[in-house]
Amino acid sequence: RGKRGGDEASDEEEEAEEVAKKSEGKAAKADEDKADVAPRSGSAAPAAAGAKHPEYRVARVVSAEPMKKKKGSILVELDIGSEEKVVAMTTYQNVEEGQVVIVAPEGASVSGKEVKRQKVAGEWITGFVCGPMEMGWPGDASCCAVLDATHTIGDFAPAGASDGSPPSKAAADGESSGADEQEPHQEERPPAKKGGKAKVDDGSDEDDGRRNTRKGKRK
């Protein structure tokens, strides 16, 4: 009986070890799956250098006009490398014709909501212009994300803020102000008086005083 009891105890310990190993294997696999998934919009997780967003596209602004029926909004027509243009409505006031921006086309997800074709203020909207907030990037949340000209129109957008995005206006202003501080200060000299020659003190006032003294003695 003692032997049987010992065998049963050892069997239970082996089973417990196998269950623990399986649990550890599942947890490790789950961690690997999470690491393979690219961060979605609004995520602050840093993206690997050269990583691309799975849904958003690089687009060129064809036109940007204020909307008459919706104050404060701009109607933007975008070229994403296809025959059909994408039309977006945005409140980003820095958007301009010719810029290279990031657009979420119809069917993409922005902040957990799907971009759907819909009519707004008499215009059919088929896309969404993205800013730092939608991309999970640092920067001014009141401005759209502007890329440099090295990006190909129609390609997937960069997932990281450092992949070809120009410096922000605040950073540029900081650099210019720093350059101004480094310039040596030059003292301003008063402008020369018109008329030309400067007055020279030749002691004539003393001579006049002596002459007046002599006249007084004679009197």
Side-chain angles (χ1 to χ4, degrees):
R1 290 181 183 176
K3 189 176 181 181
R4 289 181 183 177
D7 293 340
E8 290 176 0
S10 61
D11 292 341
E12 290 177 358
E13 289 177 0
E14 289 177 0
E15 289 178 2
E17 288 178 1
E18 289 179 2
V19 171
K21 287 180 181 179
K22 288 181 181 179
S23 299
E24 290 175 359
K26 289 180 180 179
K29 188 177 180 181
D31 292 339
E32 291 177 359
D33 294 340
K34 288 179 181 178
D36 293 338
V37 176
R40 295 285 178 174
S41 61
S43 173
K52 300 292 184 179
H53 197 282
E55 295 180 307
Y56 301 168
R57 298 280 181 172
V58 176
R60 186 182 303 279
V61 178
V62 178
S63 65
E65 300 292 338
M67 297 183 70
K68 295 180 180 179
K69 296 182 180 181
K70 198 167 181 62
K71 190 175 180 181
S73 297
I74 299 174
L75 189 68
V76 187
E77 187 178 5
L78 301 146
D79 177 16
I80 59 170
S82 60
E83 293 182 1
E84 188 175 354
K85 300 292 188 292
V86 174
V87 179
M89 180 188 70
T90 183
T91 56
Y92 292 134
Q93 300 300 313
N94 69 317
V95 64
E96 296 178 357
E97 182 179 337
Q99 284 179 334
V100 179
V101 298
I102 298 173
V103 62
E106 184 180 356
S109 178
V110 177
S111 301
K113 294 182 180 180
E114 184 181 350
V115 179
K116 296 181 180 180
R117 186 173 183 269
Q118 56 183 334
K119 198 169 188 179
V120 180
E123 303 288 347
W124 283 105
I125 305 302
T126 58
F128 186 92
V129 177
C130 297
M133 185 175 66
E134 288 80 26
M135 298 299 298
W137 296 355
D140 190 350
S142 65
C143 298
C144 69
V146 181
L147 304 176
D148 59 31
T150 61
H151 292 80
T152 303
I153 304 303
D155 280 0
F156 284 108
S162 61
D163 297 332
S165 55
S168 63
K169 186 176 183 293
D173 293 343
E175 290 177 3
S176 62
S177 63
D180 294 340
E181 290 176 359
Q182 293 177 0
E183 292 182 0
H185 178 69
Q186 297 181 355
E187 294 183 0
E188 296 183 0
R189 296 181 179 179
K193 293 182 180 180
K194 294 181 180 179
K197 296 181 180 180
K199 185 177 179 181
V200 179
D201 187 6
D202 54 359
S204 59
D205 293 341
E206 293 181 1
D207 294 341
D208 292 341
R210 290 173 183 174
R211 289 172 186 173
N212 292 334
T213 304
R214 289 174 184 174
K215 288 181 181 179
K217 288 181 179 180
R218 289 176 184 177
K219 289 181 182 179

